[in-house]
Amino acid sequence: MLRLLTSAAFFLGAVAFAQLASAQPDTARLFKKGDTNRDGKLSRDEFLKLVDKGGKLKDRPFVARKVFEKLDTNNKGFLTPEQFQKLSELGQNKGNPKAKQVVPKDSRFNDTPTAAQLAFFEKKIRPVLVDKCAKCHSAESDKVKGELYLDTRAGIRKGGESGAVIVPGHPELSPLIKAIRFKDESLKMPPKEKLPDSVIEDFEAWVKMGAPDPRDGNRAAKHEIDIAKGRQFWAFQPAKRHPVPQVPNAKSPIDAFLLDALAKKGIAPLGPADKRTLIRRVSFDLMGLPPSPDEVEAFLADGSTAAFEKVVDRLLASPRFGERWGRHWLDLARYAETTGKTVNFNFPQAWRYRDYVIHAFNVDKPFDQFVKEQLAGDLMPSLDSKKKAERIIATGFLAIGPKALNERNGLQFELDLADEQIDVTTQAFLGITAACARCHDHKFDPIPQKDYYALAGIFRSTETCYGTARFINAQRPTPLIPLPPGGAIAAVEKLSDAARKRIENQIATLQERVKNVKPDQPVQRVVINGQISLLRSRLDGCDSSGNPKLMAMGARDKPAGRFGPPKAPFGKGPFGFSGGTRGIADSPIYTRGEVDKPGEIAPRGFLQVMASSTKIRANESGRLELANWIASRNNPLTARVMANRVWQHLFGRGIVPTPDNFGAAGQPPTNAALLDWLALTFIDDGWSVKKLIRRVVLSEAYRRDSRSEPRCFEADPENALLWRMTPRRLDAEALRDATLATSGLLE
């Protein structure tokens, strides 16, 4: 992969010969030894004969010639004594990259990666190393180039003949990064094909985070997944109804579980925080705003035992609650109003999904219903137009997210889109990194590649509608989904007759201009057509009377039985190489995730480790079945994951410290019995998020003081057992809003 042989060998040769020179204190004597005809010059032949008398370059004449050419700066075909003297400098400066380059003091390999960093390696880095590097840089290579092994962690960290290829934390100093950037003609990786910019950016990010690498051993062992054994892992076991510990003075089951764990460690918890601290804490947690002076004084003056309950109930009923907790969910849903990635185009109706989420939290929509609507609201029966519109808008969850709109390969775009949807769905709802199984079986969890493509078939059978217009660098436009009349508010103001006429005239002018574009000006033609497309999208957003159409981002099933024919020999079934499917179908398993290597077909379905059976009808995508399975009370993860997220936002750390990864690469729960109790109570309360939050904030654990206690700190420095309330920083949004609220400028 790396084109290191020439340059590395040259540098190594320079070092070797420089060592020969330095071994002789009198370099003039060495020169004289090589100058056999005594003309005061060292010809190429004489130089090569000198090399051939011994040393590391004896059997490497090619490298020796390169060294000679480097020293022969005036290209005269011979070396003067002064030029020969430069050999030692050449060895010091270029022959030993380690000597030349000072490694920064903060350069350390990341040996304690987070779950997210491990997932990043598995999804972004490992597949490239396997596909693009293994042929030349693995133990299975016929000849390992540059003695560089990239198939193990030890190999990639050791480097090759020319030294280290990674300077952890510093991509700009890492030869590996320099090579894949193709900036140096003598150092290119892979030698015949530059990697896509997005892949290069992934490697830069990986090196910057310290090159976390979970691979161990000398060679990668074949990974076999045992589904039955995988089901024994705690996260895939059903939640158990553990008896509430009988602990004296425990005011709630939550406190009983926590006090029991503290007692086993011999830790005594702190007492309650003062009332001013408490109302400030809960106000920020539930609304993202500080309490007003009047609210503080009213709480201080209320001496009843229910004083704090009144505050909590008031905050839960505030419209600000939905904005605060809706924002937490929007972060999980990767909410943004633009596409991001290589080009950045607006999502014209993203705000509808944002408002749906805020409203859902304010009305305390049951979380299982919330799950179903976001994944398959369009497929759920709705009795009135308002409910139907709301559920269509909810599927914006699948439509929002980064899009590579300039991807030329339609199949690649479709697979990347499905991958992004699998990733957000499994992490947000299940706390599982299923997307790591796109290119190979999951390296940590019992998720075979077949299960990934079973999910991919569901999302590939779904039409994702995000509404961007076609432009020069945005060649993947989609329509929006019409909303039923009266089902939602209008998005924009009415388009006046004058404005419509002006846009139509602009389109006509551009159409005349494009007719005069010369054949040798294709870029100009594309730009003009793009401008026409943008103008037409403005007209398409309104009906003939100028009234804005009711449209939304979202998802809908593709037509059943309408399969596009393969457009290249790689295509199998309804999927072709140049474009994706036109209808509902199962997806092939793509070897190493490559679009031109489809294999056996994976029937649409769910994750085997949690689903005993799958029933998806041939004429449906399977999204509704997927939604029902995820939102089922029998699913071992959904309620646990959401209960853990609530706990995380209220205490600063989840009972499972890795809230997006409940798998083997994540951290285990600090109090598994409490987590199960919260999850089952959450379900028993009708999946009410507000009731769950209320239970937690009314616990003594939430109301504890945050000061430090040396003896407790020594026993539990991370406060995993919650002997105190962990001090937390305000996030940027709360800090901004608090400043405006205090100054009276918040609207």
Side-chain angles (χ1 to χ4, degrees):
M1 179 180 176
L2 279 172
R3 207 175 188 180
L4 289 172
L5 187 57
T6 300
S7 55
F10 163 70
F11 290 148
L12 187 63
V15 173
F17 205 79
Q19 290 172 345
L20 174 64
S22 61
Q24 300 272 2
D26 187 358
T27 53
R29 195 169 122 197
L30 185 62
F31 181 89
K32 185 177 180 181
K33 183 178 180 180
D35 182 17
T36 55
N37 62 3
R38 302 293 186 264
D39 63 352
K41 305 172 185 177
L42 206 62
S43 67
R44 182 193 301 270
D45 289 340
E46 289 174 328
F47 182 85
L48 295 177
K49 288 178 180 178
L50 180 63
V51 169
D52 197 47
K53 290 181 179 180
K56 293 184 179 180
L57 296 185
K58 181 177 180 181
D59 298 319
R60 305 175 74 178
F62 171 76
V63 178
R65 285 195 294 270
K66 285 290 183 182
V67 173
F68 180 88
E69 292 170 3
K70 191 72 174 179
L71 295 172
D72 183 17
T73 54
N74 53 13
N75 296 320
K76 289 188 176 181
F78 61 82
L79 302 179
T80 65
E82 292 76 18
Q83 288 173 321
F84 184 78
Q85 181 69 34
K86 296 287 185 181
L87 181 62
S88 59
E89 297 178 15
L90 183 67
Q92 292 171 1
N93 294 336
K94 293 185 178 180
N96 187 354
K98 295 179 181 178
K100 177 185 178 183
Q101 180 170 286
V102 178
V103 178
K105 292 182 179 180
D106 63 345
S107 179
R108 297 286 187 278
F109 281 108
N110 184 353
D111 290 324
T112 56
T114 65
Q117 290 170 338
L118 290 176
F120 185 88
F121 175 85
E122 292 297 338
K123 186 176 180 182
K124 303 289 188 180
I125 306 302
R126 188 197 289 260
V128 180
L129 293 176
V130 171
D131 183 45
K132 302 296 183 183
C133 311
K135 184 177 179 181
C136 300
H137 298 284
S138 73
E140 297 179 357
S141 304
D142 294 335
K143 184 177 181 181
V144 180
K145 293 188 177 180
E147 290 300 312
L148 177 63
Y149 291 83
L150 300 179
D151 56 341
T152 65
R153 178 177 60 202
I156 200 169
R157 291 186 176 185
K158 179 182 178 182
E161 285 182 339
S162 59
V165 295
I166 291 178
V167 180
H170 299 274
E172 71 283 356
L173 300 178
S174 301
L176 177 72
I177 302 302
K178 293 177 182 178
I180 63 177
R181 285 174 176 168
F182 268 47
K183 299 294 185 182
D184 187 339
E185 286 298 322
S186 65
L187 191 65
K188 290 185 176 182
M189 172 185 74
K192 297 180 181 179
E193 172 194 11
K194 184 183 178 184
L195 297 172
D197 291 342
S198 59
V199 174
I200 295 173
E201 291 170 4
D202 289 338
F203 270 82
E204 291 169 346
W206 177 62
V207 171
K208 197 167 186 178
M209 65 177 72
D213 189 340
R215 298 175 299 174
D216 55 13
N218 296 323
R219 293 182 63 184
K222 184 173 177 57
H223 185 64
E224 297 289 348
I225 289 182
D226 186 335
I227 298 294
K229 184 178 179 180
R231 288 175 179 151
Q232 300 173 15
F233 187 69
W234 75 267
F236 305 129
Q237 289 283 309
K240 300 176 182 177
R241 292 192 180 274
H242 302 271
V244 178
Q246 298 301 308
V247 180
N249 303 319
K251 303 298 184 184
S252 71
I254 291 175
D255 293 311
F257 281 108
L258 292 173
L259 290 173
D260 183 58
L262 286 167
K264 290 175 181 177
K265 285 283 188 178
I267 302 174
L270 300 185
D274 64 83
K275 294 184 77 172
R276 287 184 184 274
T277 298
L278 189 56
I279 190 172
R280 177 179 171 83
R281 178 186 298 167
V282 75
S283 294
F284 272 115
D285 279 345
L286 299 194
M287 292 201 312
L289 293 169
S292 69
D294 290 344
E295 290 167 345
V296 174
E297 293 305 318
F299 180 51
L300 294 176
D302 189 344
S304 69
T305 57
F308 188 59
E309 289 185 40
K310 295 175 187 176
V311 171
V312 172
D313 290 339
R314 172 178 58 81
L315 295 174
L316 289 172
S318 168
R320 307 289 82 77
F321 170 80
E323 294 167 7
R324 177 64 170 172
W325 282 78
R327 180 60 191 175
H328 292 327
W329 185 259
L330 290 171
D331 286 341
L332 292 173
R334 78 271 187 248
Y335 177 81
E337 296 185 0
T338 57
T339 61
K341 297 202 87 166
T342 48
V343 295
N344 205 28
F345 274 72
N346 288 336
F347 287 139
Q349 299 289 333
W351 63 274
R352 289 195 187 276
Y353 174 73
R354 176 202 65 199
D355 288 1
Y356 160 82
V357 170
I358 293 171
H359 177 72
F361 277 94
N362 271 333
V363 301
D364 200 20
K365 184 187 289 289
F367 187 73
D368 60 338
Q369 190 78 2
F370 187 58
V371 171
K372 294 175 187 177
E373 289 180 352
Q374 291 179 88
L375 292 176
D378 59 307
L379 301 174
M380 298 171 66
S382 305
L383 299 177
D384 59 78
S385 59
K386 203 163 189 179
K387 178 62 69 176
K388 184 176 179 63
E390 180 183 9
R391 288 176 169 173
I392 291 173
I393 292 168
T395 63
F397 173 83
L398 295 175
I400 287 171
K403 308 280 188 296
L405 298 181
N406 57 349
E407 173 58 59
R408 295 183 178 183
N409 188 311
L411 179 54
Q412 183 70 60
F413 180 80
E414 183 178 279
L415 290 171
D416 289 346
L417 180 59
D419 178 74
E420 199 271 335
Q421 292 168 333
I422 291 171
D423 194 28
V424 69
T425 297
T426 56
Q427 286 202 62
F429 298 123
L430 300 174
I432 288 293
T433 57
C436 291
R438 178 179 182 177
C439 305
H440 48 71
D441 290 348
H442 203 292
K443 298 301 180 183
F444 305 104
D445 298 327
I447 305 175
Q449 193 180 16
K450 183 178 181 179
D451 282 11
Y452 172 90
Y453 284 99
L455 291 173
I458 293 174
F459 290 110
R460 294 188 67 191
S461 297
T462 299
E463 182 184 7
T464 305
C465 301
Y466 42 86
T468 61
R470 186 180 297 277
F471 199 63
I472 183 172
N473 53 352
Q475 296 298 307
R476 298 293 163 191
T478 72
L480 292 168
I481 299 177
L483 297 176
I489 62 172
V492 294
E493 297 180 356
K494 182 176 180 178
L495 185 68
S496 67
D497 292 340
R500 174 180 288 278
K501 188 65 176 175
R502 183 171 60 253
I503 294 173
E504 289 173 344
N505 289 339
Q506 288 175 314
I507 292 174
T509 300
L510 290 170
Q511 287 175 332
E512 287 299 317
R513 186 186 301 174
V514 80
K515 292 178 182 178
N516 299 317
V517 174
K518 297 178 181 179
D520 61 347
Q521 297 176 311
V523 174
Q524 186 175 351
R525 181 182 299 276
V526 172
V527 171
I528 295 174
N529 284 332
Q531 293 171 335
I532 294 173
S533 177
L534 292 175
L535 290 170
R536 280 180 173 160
S537 69
R538 293 182 61 189
L539 294 181
D540 292 342
C542 299
D543 61 22
S544 58
S545 300
N547 297 312
K549 297 177 182 177
L550 295 178
M551 310 290 284
M553 298 174 65
R556 58 191 176 191
D557 275 9
K558 291 180 178 178
R562 287 180 55 191
F563 304 134
K567 298 182 180 180
F570 315 115
K572 284 195 176 184
F575 301 107
F577 177 71
S578 298
T581 178
R582 297 180 185 176
I584 292 171
D586 298 327
S587 176
I589 298 173
Y590 289 87
T591 304
R592 295 196 298 272
E594 297 180 38
V595 296
D596 59 345
K597 295 179 180 177
E600 65 173 295
I601 301 296
R604 279 165 291 146
F606 318 141
L607 303 179
Q608 297 177 65
V609 71
M610 290 183 285
S612 56
S613 62
T614 302
K615 295 180 180 179
I616 297 176
R617 289 188 288 186
N619 61 345
E620 294 179 354
S621 66
R623 273 188 302 118
L624 183 58
E625 292 84 353
L626 175 65
N628 288 333
W629 170 69
I630 290 178
S632 168
R633 67 178 296 126
N634 297 323
N635 188 307
L637 283 174
T638 307
R640 276 185 179 134
V641 168
M642 186 56 186
N644 190 67
R645 293 194 189 284
V646 168
W647 193 271
Q648 173 201 8
H649 289 306
L650 295 174
F651 286 98
R653 171 190 171 116
I655 297 174
V656 175
T658 50
D660 296 326
N661 193 344
F662 276 45
Q667 297 182 40
T670 55
N671 196 320
L674 173 57
L675 180 60
D676 279 1
W677 185 88
L678 289 170
L680 292 173
T681 305
F682 180 37
I683 295 173
D684 293 342
D685 283 339
W687 299 82
S688 169
V689 175
K690 283 190 176 182
K691 287 182 180 179
L692 175 60
I693 292 172
R694 190 178 190 275
R695 285 180 185 276
V696 175
V697 298
L698 291 180
S699 69
E700 286 189 321
Y702 179 81
R703 292 187 271 183
R704 285 192 185 121
D705 200 341
S706 60
R707 64 183 173 82
S708 185
E709 173 63 45
R711 261 189 290 182
C712 296
F713 184 85
E714 185 177 349
D716 181 19
E718 294 184 350
N719 194 32
L721 301 178
L722 291 177
W723 49 270
R724 67 164 175 163
M725 171 57 80
T726 303
R728 288 172 286 151
R729 291 186 176 94
L730 286 180
D731 58 45
E733 292 172 353
L735 185 62
R736 169 195 177 275
D737 290 349
T739 303
L740 294 175
T742 303
S743 63
L745 299 176
L746 183 66
E747 296 181 3

